Every structure is written in C-alpha cells, then in structure tokens.
C-alpha cells in the first residue's frame, strides 16, 4: 500500500509546481493528460505543462480606472465560462429588447442565445421544458387554465399541450422576434404555439398581470430571463404578489430559479419572499441541463392557500394522461415515479442548515433526478 500512496497524484504534484524541471516532463505527465494534449497539440496551453487546452483558461475580466470590476462574460456567474464549438451562425439580429443569436454547435445541435446567454439547445432543452411544465401541472388535479410568462420559444407550451384537461393556455412574451426566430429555427419547440388552446399576448408580463382577474389561473409558469437589468423585478416581492393574486386557491406556480451552486443567496431571498406571499407549499427543485451555467437549473414551486398541494407526490401523473403524446414526441426527461431515498441534515452552501431530499426514478431507463432544499 505504501508504494501506491502517491499513485494518481501526479497531476496535483505538477500543478503545485513540485515537478523538478521540464526535462523528462513527458514521463511525468499522466497518460490521460498526454492523450488530450496529443489530440490537438497546436492548441496546447503554454502557461502550464498540465493545463490542457479547453479545460482551463486565463482570467478574462479587467478593472476600469475607478476600480470597478468589468466582465467579458455575464456578471451572474463571474470567474467561469462554458464554451461550445460553433459550426455555423444561422441568425444574428437585435430586437427592441435584446440581441438574438442562433448557431449550430458541434455537440448540442442548434443553440438559442439572448444577450450572450444560452437559452436552450436542441440536445438538452427537454430537461428544462419538461420539468418546468410538469412539476406544477402534475401536482394538481385536472388543471384547466394556465399562464406562461416568457417562453417565446414555445417549448413550455409544447409540454402543457400534453395535458388534455387544460382548456386555456395564455402566454405573455415581450419579444415577438424571439417567437419568429424560433418558428424558423426551432420548429420542434414552436409546435407549442400551434395548439388551438393557446392565446398569445405580446407585451410586458408585469402590466399583463395587473389586468388579470383575481384567481383566474390554476397554474402559472414563469420561464423568464436571468434577473439582470429590467428582468430584476421578476424576482422581487411585488411580482410574486401579483402572481399569487392571479392564482385560484390551491393554484400553483413554477418559476425559473437559477442555480443552487451559483445563486444561493438569490434563491434564499426568493424562498423567503414566497413563504410570506404564498400561504401553501413552497419548495425548490433542480434538474441537470448541461448548457446552463454550472450544468444545473432550479425551479421555485409554490401553491396558494386552499386545497393542499404536495409537489413531492404528483397526483396527476403525466404518463397516465390521455393525449400526453399529442405534441408528437415522448417524454425524454421527466417522469412522475420519484421516490424520497434519503433525508439528512446538512449545512447549506451559504451556511444555512437545510434538509436534503433526493428524488430519482426507480426506472433505470429514465434519467430523472431532482433535489429539494427545504430551508
């Protein structure tokens, strides 16, 4: 055992600068690194012998004269970046609200980017769209009226269309160009707009909700942008109060809620606001989406006071609903057969104790995995 004590630590020794010199370095670099370096020697990073191009990059932020930190990437996740190889630029344009880009990637198919932030890719969009739609709709019996805030790509509409009980699907999207671009380049998502139950409202969601009758909707799904700039108000108390007002007693909300690895303080604030605003259940769940920062996206689940809602135990399983294949494709990520497999007290990422519950599908063929944080 003693002879193997340092086995597998060669990378760390060299990264720590403990390698003696450059002479004979090829013998010291582990085979895994050598294989990666050999695949593209012209792109080898010269800053350090074991930094394989594509795994690490130099710091790309700088400071202005006032000492303010400037970012080349989005300030929502400073200090890190995710790269996708671009095969072809399919569309570039600017609407009244944002810059819109569609490109073909080598690994994830076509990708939609708004203001430099990846919104979806053909390969992994199923995880986000299915979770944000079916987590709330499967938690209540026979939902009839649904509002989607944002969601101009049509993916959430596509998933809602699986629920035959739904009679009305309102969608409020501020940017018509997003809808038009997705119609051309993402027809497998835009198909959601073709459902006759859909009523499109192009405009500001905050203003739209102000004019909605109290208790109109059984469910509201907020598929919003990251809370930067004007979208900041979509994670603040007045907006959540407006959402709660628009829901019937026992109605449900599913709100995009960022990454637990990067935005824990924001998530805690949202949870605190929603526990005061919604008098029913409030939970946080997440799913794996590789093209999003940290590879994870979260969902805030809330219900208003009224008939109790248990998000952990779906009473309206999508797999058993007639018409769940109406959109022309099977579910690829979500399934309702989720079990609590462990519960333990941990220390939160920000030092706040929370209970961890991990949900997973007992069906090995399914890839569903969710985690809930009860603060």
């Amino acid at each position: 055992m003693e002879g193997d004590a340092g086995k597998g630590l060669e990378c760390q020794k060299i990264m720590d600068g403990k390698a003696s010199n450059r002479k004979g370095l090829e013998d010291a670099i582990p085979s895994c690194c050598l294989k990666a370096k050999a695949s593209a020697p012209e792109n080898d990073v010269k800053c350090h012998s074991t930094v394989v191009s594509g795994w690490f990059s130099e710091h790309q932020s700088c400071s202005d004269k006032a000492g303010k930190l400037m970012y080349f990437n989005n300030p929502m996740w400073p200090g890190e970046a995710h790269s996708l190889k671009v095969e072809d630029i399919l569309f570039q344009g600017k609407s009244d609200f944002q810059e819109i880009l569609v490109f073909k990637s080598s690994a994830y198919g076509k990708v939609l980017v708004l203001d430099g932030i990846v919104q979806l890719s053909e390969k992994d969009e199923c995880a986000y769209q299915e979770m944000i739609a079916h987590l709330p709709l499967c938690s209540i019996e026979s939902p009839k009226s649904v509002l989607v805030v944002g969601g101009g790509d049509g993916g959430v509409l596509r998933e809602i269309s699986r629920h035959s009980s739904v009679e009305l699907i309102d969608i409020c999207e501020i940017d018509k160009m997003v809808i038009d671009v997705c119609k051309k380049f993402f027809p497998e998502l835009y198909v959601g707009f073709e459902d006759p139950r859909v009523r499109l409202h192009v405009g500001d969601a905050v203003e739209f909700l102000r004019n909605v009758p109290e208790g109109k909707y059984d469910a509201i799904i907020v598929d919003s942008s990251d809370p930067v700039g004007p979208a900041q108000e979509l994670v603040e108390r007045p907006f959540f109060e407006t959402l709660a007002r628009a829901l019937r007693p026992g109605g449900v909300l599913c709100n995009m809620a960022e990454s637990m690895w990067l935005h824990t303080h924001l998530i805690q604030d949202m949870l605190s606001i929603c526990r005061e605003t919604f008098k029913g259940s409030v939970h946080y769940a997440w799913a794996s989406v590789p093209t999003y920062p940290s590879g994870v996206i979260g969902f805030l689940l809330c219900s208003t006071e009224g008939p109790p809602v248990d998000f952990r135990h779906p009473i309206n399983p999508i797999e058993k609903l007639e018409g769940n294949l109406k959109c022309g494709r099977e579910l690829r990520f979500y399934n309702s057969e989720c079990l609590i497999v462990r519960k333990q007290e941990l220390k939160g990422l920000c030092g706040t104790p929370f209970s961890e519950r991990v949900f997973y599908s007992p069906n090995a063929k399914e890839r569903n995995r969710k985690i809930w944080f009860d603060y």
Side-chain angles (χ1 to χ4, degrees):
M1 290 293 291
E2 291 182 359
D4 294 332
K7 190 173 181 180
L9 300 179
E10 294 88 352
C11 278
Q12 187 60 50
K13 288 181 179 179
I14 297 172
M15 290 294 286
D16 291 341
K18 296 178 182 179
S20 58
N21 51 50
R22 298 272 313 172
K23 185 177 180 181
L25 188 59
E26 295 298 315
D27 294 331
I29 297 177
S31 59
C32 59
C33 294
L34 285 174
K35 182 177 179 181
K37 286 162 67 73
S39 64
E42 70 280 2
N43 295 327
D44 185 25
V45 175
K46 302 301 182 183
C47 62
H48 203 287
S49 57
T50 60
V51 177
V52 180
S53 181
W55 281 98
F56 307 97
S57 63
E58 291 291 339
H59 183 56
Q60 292 187 333
S61 297
C62 62
S63 298
D64 61 13
K65 294 181 180 179
K68 182 180 178 181
L69 193 61
M70 307 292 289
Y71 299 96
F72 288 108
N73 57 349
N74 192 287
M76 283 287 291
W77 43 89
E80 63 180 85
H82 181 198
S83 297
L84 297 176
K85 182 179 179 182
V86 178
E87 296 281 353
D88 189 22
I89 300 294
L90 303 177
F91 176 84
Q92 279 183 294
K94 188 170 184 177
S95 71
D96 293 336
F97 306 96
Q98 57 201 337
E99 293 183 0
I100 302 174
L101 169 70
V102 178
F103 68 86
K104 181 181 179 182
S105 71
S106 59
Y108 287 88
K110 287 179 288 186
V111 179
L112 174 66
V113 182
L114 301 180
D115 279 342
I117 301 173
V118 171
Q119 303 298 306
L120 63 88
S121 79
E122 287 183 306
K123 188 172 185 177
D124 63 9
E125 57 88 7
C126 60
Y128 178 82
Q129 316 285 6
E130 293 179 14
M131 292 286 280
I132 200 171
H134 302 310
L135 281 175
L137 295 182
C138 291
S139 67
I140 57 177
E141 190 172 353
S142 301
K144 288 181 170 55
S145 58
V146 182
L147 169 65
V148 179
V149 174
D153 53 74
V156 175
L157 298 177
R158 180 193 68 200
E159 295 306 316
I160 297 174
S161 71
R162 297 180 188 272
H163 294 260
S164 57
S165 67
V166 174
E167 299 172 355
L168 169 67
I169 310 172
D170 278 336
I171 176 170
C172 185
E173 166 62 54
I174 196 170
D175 198 339
K176 181 63 162 55
M177 185 180 285
V178 170
I179 299 173
D180 295 337
V181 168
C182 291
K183 180 178 181 179
K184 180 176 181 179
F185 295 102
F186 298 93
E188 69 281 4
L189 285 92
Y190 180 83
V191 67
F193 281 100
E194 298 174 355
D195 191 302
R197 297 170 290 179
V198 172
R199 297 194 313 189
L200 171 62
H201 307 267
V202 177
D204 178 53
V206 175
E207 184 63 29
F208 176 83
L209 281 162
R210 288 196 187 107
N211 298 312
V212 166
E214 184 174 352
K216 178 176 181 178
Y217 298 107
D218 296 318
I220 299 177
I221 298 170
V222 180
D223 179 14
S224 61
S225 302
D226 293 292
V228 178
Q232 175 67 33
E233 66 179 329
L234 300 185
V235 295
E236 295 175 345
R237 186 183 302 273
F239 182 67
F240 285 113
E241 290 175 346
T242 306
L243 292 171
R245 174 185 168 277
L247 286 170
R248 65 159 171 84
V252 293
L253 165 72
C254 189
N255 201 110
M256 190 279 289
E258 300 300 334
S259 167
M260 62 184 178
W261 299 112
L262 302 176
H263 312 114
T264 313
H265 288 294
L266 173 60
I267 294 168
Q268 286 180 317
D269 290 343
M270 293 173 71
L271 283 166
S272 296
I273 291 171
C274 289
R275 289 194 189 283
E276 296 173 2
T277 305
F278 296 85
K279 305 303 181 181
S281 300
V282 176
H283 292 284
Y284 180 85
W286 65 262
S288 172
V289 184
T291 53
Y292 288 166
S294 81
V296 166
I297 194 67
F299 308 98
L300 185 62
L301 293 160
C302 309
S303 66
T304 55
E305 188 175 12
V309 176
D310 186 353
F311 291 108
R312 294 183 293 257
H313 300 91
I315 64 171
N316 192 28
I318 184 65
E319 300 91 343
K320 299 179 181 179
L321 294 181
E322 182 180 352
N324 76 79
L325 297 180
K326 185 177 180 179
C327 63
R329 55 186 265 168
E330 294 183 352
L331 290 165
R332 300 181 181 180
F333 189 89
Y334 176 88
N335 72 87
S336 300
E337 296 178 357
C338 302
L339 302 177
I340 301 176
V341 295
R342 74 173 185 267
K343 174 182 178 182
Q344 63 185 93
E345 293 299 321
L346 298 173
K347 190 173 183 180
L349 300 176
C350 287
T352 302
F354 59 84
S355 300
E356 181 191 49
R357 292 178 173 85
V358 179
F359 289 67
Y360 80 112
S361 168
N363 185 344
K365 294 182 180 180
E366 298 289 350
R367 294 166 293 175
N368 186 30
R369 182 174 174 85
K370 303 193 289 290
I371 199 167
W372 304 79
F373 293 97
D374 290 345
Y375 287 84

